[in-house]
Amino acid sequence: MQKFKEILKPLLDETYSKELKRGDYLYHMGDDPKGIFYIEEGLVGLFHLSESAKESFLRVFSEGFILGHRSLFAEEPYHASSIALSKTTYKFIPKGLCSSLCKQHPEFLKAVAMTLAKDLRAAELRIAGLASHSAQERIAETLVYLKLKYPQQVWTRKEIAEYSGSTFESVTRLMSKLEEEGAIHKSGRDFEILNMKALLNLKH
Amino acid sequence: MQKFKEILKPLLDETYSKELKRGDYLYHMGDDPKGIFYIEEGLVGLFHLSESAKESFLRVFSEGFILGHRSLFAEEPYHASSIALSKTTYKFIPKGLCSSLCKQHPEFLKAVAMTLAKDLRAAELRIAGLASHSAQERIAETLVYLKLKYPQQVWTRKEIAEYSGSTFESVTRLMSKLEEEGAIHKSGRDFEILNMKALLNLKH
DNA sequence: CGATAGATTGAGAGTTTTCAACCGATGTGG
DNA sequence: CCACATCGGTTGAAAACTCTCAATCTATCG
């Protein structure tokens, strides 16, 4: 899955990197894609904002991954905004370059298709989870997912809520309960997982 | 989007069609993909079954579309089962043929990537909708989506519920209310939409 | 016409959200 | 380096929506 690094290497060496601090936007929901973004360092989140001003946290991108490719390949405007979750450096690959890349390096197109296919599975499993798991189960699963996959990141209760499809108050409440039960340990705004089994065996 | 028909035409003319009746499986969740399926006629649904036996209705496939491609391109087992929703005829394209197709007709790979990209958008908008819309709003949106896009199909309350992330009792209840309000008209097990605006402006 | 799958309606339970008030951490500018 | 502003976190209580369970009814099809 980290194929993008090697495929894009020659291209990326020629362009300069851009820097972002936490909270900066890479692109906005509704904009038309002009190319794709390659993350060299840091973490980026994809967020959808509903008419009722509710945010959903859709995907996380880390070093070595691309973003913006979904809209480009679908030939659609961005359906969500991407925002740096930490200090981030990235490179921009314009649309035209992507096209020639697809022609000259079919393995790039193949890697994009594979990424899309894996992300589609993940998204559809989340749809199923939203319908079949309780809010508490989803929050616990999200704690495990976000913390195990991105341990260095200090996730806010709000981000955890927006990823799990819940509210930050419910996240806080569950985390307090989980700490009492010894499943996690809170330290400042961060936390660590002490008993993963317990987290994944919550019933409600 | 209906590109598959023309791209696959020469290939498909050489193979024989298979028939399915409502309820038959094309493939089962967990199986390894051995190729992709091209729908010549009919309707197929993709369903995920959770540990707690709750079904989620993930995607619909109609004439001219392919299925099974997500798992093949992700190199993963099927994450859901595909089931005929009506009398269906399809053709099977084995894995090996797909590979050579990708090499010789890059537009096929491109069409697959585009389909995956569009489906990923749809799935992520559903995630956002599950978090930000009430069950009633989601059910109403599902009535509009399923009935306008596939008007010939008689959708069961259960299917509508599994698509909207709700229960069939809630679907029944809302449909009764919507009929009272004149937004839909129920006839037998089928229904028709009388006032789409009203359906999409539900608040709860 | 009978069997079966699907639909309806009611009542009650329960999780989760919402609203509100308050607390604690973090970071910046004077 | 302190003060203060701001952002993030905690906890409580009440409201509300949806689900669950149950009983009954109605289409549809062989």
Side-chain angles (χ1 to χ4, degrees):
Chain A
M1 276 295 288
Q2 289 286 62
K3 289 180 205 137
F4 297 114
K5 197 174 210 157
E6 46 181 284
I7 297 175
L8 298 176
K9 191 156 196 328
L11 228 84
L12 295 172
D13 287 346
E14 293 174 17
T15 54
Y16 59 98
S17 303
K18 290 168 188 168
E19 280 225 3
L20 297 171
K21 59 180 195 303
R22 177 172 165 89
D24 289 344
Y25 281 70
L26 282 88
Y27 57 74
H28 292 260
M29 199 170 141
D31 289 354
D32 274 318
K34 307 254 184 285
I36 62 176
F37 303 79
Y38 173 82
I39 309 290
E40 291 187 308
E41 200 196 322
L43 225 50
V44 174
L46 181 69
F47 295 87
H48 177 270
L49 185 63
S50 77
E51 330 75 54
S52 51
K54 182 131 189 166
E55 278 198 310
S56 297
F57 184 178
L58 298 174
R59 268 181 270 162
V60 193
F61 305 90
S62 58
E63 185 257 310
F65 286 86
I66 57 170
L67 62 146
H69 55 288
R70 193 216 62 77
S71 294
L72 193 73
F73 282 84
E75 297 173 13
E76 292 167 342
Y78 294 122
H79 71 308
S81 303
S82 64
I83 309 177
L85 297 168
S86 63
K87 187 168 158 299
T88 294
T89 64
Y90 73 94
K91 281 183 171 160
F92 182 73
I93 303 163
K95 210 167 161 173
L97 246 153
C98 286
S99 301
S100 40
L101 203 58
C102 286
K103 277 168 203 138
Q104 282 149 36
H105 297 273
E107 70 271 23
F108 173 69
L109 181 51
K110 209 126 189 227
V112 171
M114 186 181 233
T115 300
L116 289 168
K118 284 177 184 285
D119 286 344
L120 180 55
R121 174 182 187 272
E124 291 186 330
L125 291 181
R126 280 175 76 183
I127 291 174
L130 280 161
S132 69
H133 297 167
S134 67
Q136 294 205 21
E137 287 174 283
R138 276 151 28 212
I139 292 168
E141 287 161 14
T142 300
L143 293 176
V144 172
Y145 171 75
L146 290 179
K147 200 62 199 176
L148 291 196
K149 193 150 182 194
Y150 310 100
Q152 79 290 358
Q153 181 73 2
V154 180
W155 298 101
T156 66
R157 311 297 190 249
K158 183 163 169 284
E159 285 159 355
I160 296 164
E162 288 171 357
Y163 197 92
S164 61
S166 182
T167 60
F168 73 91
E169 294 98 326
S170 292
V171 171
T172 289
R173 257 184 265 275
L174 180 63
M175 286 180 74
S176 295
K177 195 182 105 186
L178 290 172
E179 172 143 64
E180 273 180 32
E181 297 171 0
I184 67 172
H185 176 64
K186 294 192 273 178
S187 45
R189 287 175 175 167
D190 202 3
F191 72 97
E192 58 185 319
I193 292 172
L194 301 178
N195 185 348
M196 196 169 100
K197 283 257 167 79
L199 292 185
L200 298 178
N201 284 330
L202 275 194
K203 271 296 151 282
H204 60 91
Chain B
M1 274 297 286
Q2 288 284 63
K3 293 182 203 135
F4 297 115
K5 197 173 210 158
E6 46 181 283
I7 297 175
L8 298 175
K9 191 156 199 323
L11 227 87
L12 295 171
D13 287 346
E14 292 173 15
T15 55
Y16 59 97
S17 303
K18 290 169 188 169
E19 282 225 4
L20 297 171
K21 59 179 194 304
R22 178 173 165 89
D24 288 345
Y25 281 70
L26 281 89
Y27 57 75
H28 293 259
M29 199 170 140
D31 288 355
D32 274 318
K34 305 254 184 287
I36 62 177
F37 303 79
Y38 174 82
I39 309 292
E40 291 186 308
E41 200 196 320
L43 225 50
V44 175
L46 181 70
F47 295 88
H48 177 269
L49 186 62
S50 77
E51 331 75 52
S52 51
K54 181 128 189 168
E55 278 198 309
S56 297
F57 185 177
L58 298 175
R59 266 181 272 164
V60 193
F61 305 91
S62 59
E63 186 258 309
F65 286 86
I66 57 171
L67 62 146
H69 53 291
R70 193 216 62 78
S71 294
L72 193 72
F73 282 83
E75 296 172 16
E76 292 167 341
Y78 295 121
H79 70 306
S81 302
S82 63
I83 309 177
L85 296 168
S86 63
K87 186 166 159 301
T88 294
T89 64
Y90 73 93
K91 281 182 171 162
F92 182 74
I93 304 163
K95 209 166 159 171
L97 246 154
C98 287
S99 303
S100 39
L101 204 55
C102 286
K103 276 168 204 140
Q104 282 149 36
H105 298 273
E107 70 272 23
F108 173 69
L109 181 50
K110 207 121 192 235
V112 171
M114 185 181 232
T115 300
L116 290 168
K118 284 176 183 287
D119 286 344
L120 180 55
R121 173 181 187 274
E124 292 186 329
L125 291 181
R126 280 174 75 183
I127 291 174
L130 280 161
S132 69
H133 297 166
S134 67
Q136 294 205 21
E137 289 174 282
R138 276 151 28 213
I139 292 167
E141 288 159 14
T142 300
L143 293 177
V144 172
Y145 171 77
L146 290 178
K147 199 62 198 177
L148 290 196
K149 192 150 182 193
Y150 309 100
Q152 79 290 357
Q153 181 74 0
V154 179
W155 299 101
T156 67
R157 310 296 190 252
K158 184 163 169 283
E159 285 158 354
I160 295 164
E162 288 170 356
Y163 197 92
S164 61
S166 179
T167 60
F168 74 91
E169 293 99 326
S170 293
V171 171
T172 288
R173 255 185 267 276
L174 180 63
M175 286 179 74
S176 295
K177 195 182 104 185
L178 290 173
E179 171 142 66
E180 274 181 31
E181 298 171 358
I184 66 171
H185 175 66
K186 294 192 273 178
S187 45
R189 286 175 177 166
D190 201 2
F191 71 97
E192 56 185 319
I193 292 173
L194 302 179
N195 184 348
M196 198 171 97
K197 284 255 168 80
L199 292 185
L200 297 178
N201 284 329
L202 274 195
K203 271 297 150 281
H204 58 93

